[in-house]
Amino acid sequence: MATQILVRQLVRASTSVGANVEEADGTETSRDRINKWNIARKEARETRYWLRIIAATDASAASSTDLERESDELVRILTVLIRNHRANSQS
């Protein structure tokens, strides 16, 4: 039962990453785009958190190391996008 609740949180956070990146592509201003990328980055970090919690609380859960690594990569990619977009907007 507890694992189902955790998995539901994981699904919400992980699907929000893609949704916010998609919304960022449709924004009209740099500020809105950066805001959506920031939200996506936060959701990627939350996804990583839920993966760790599930792995720690459910012995039958498969190792989430690869998924955690992918969420780390997403956080890094989004961080670079935000940083570069801010730099380009200011110049």
Side-chain angles (χ1 to χ4, degrees):
M1 177 70 172
T3 303
Q4 289 176 342
I5 294 167
L6 297 173
V7 168
R8 214 177 347 230
Q9 290 297 116
L10 170 65
V11 169
R12 285 183 185 150
S14 62
T15 56
S16 180
V17 176
N20 279 290
V21 169
E22 189 68 27
E23 284 186 41
D25 287 343
T27 60
E28 295 185 20
T29 67
S30 292
R31 185 176 181 179
D32 286 344
R33 187 169 295 115
I34 290 169
N35 183 47
K36 293 297 181 185
W37 284 336
N38 270 316
I39 294 168
R41 182 174 58 178
K42 288 177 185 178
E43 295 295 335
R45 292 175 62 109
E46 183 179 341
T47 297
R48 186 176 52 202
Y49 169 79
W50 291 120
L51 287 167
R52 288 183 194 145
I53 296 297
I54 291 168
T57 58
D58 188 354
S60 66
S63 174
S64 60
T65 309
D66 290 339
L67 294 174
E68 285 181 48
R69 194 173 313 122
E70 285 191 38
S71 65
D72 284 339
E73 289 176 21
L74 282 172
V75 169
R76 283 191 233 116
I77 290 167
L78 289 162
T79 299
V80 169
L81 282 171
I82 293 163
R83 187 180 325 135
N84 288 348
H85 204 74
R86 280 184 180 146
N88 291 338
S89 296
Q90 292 174 355
S91 52

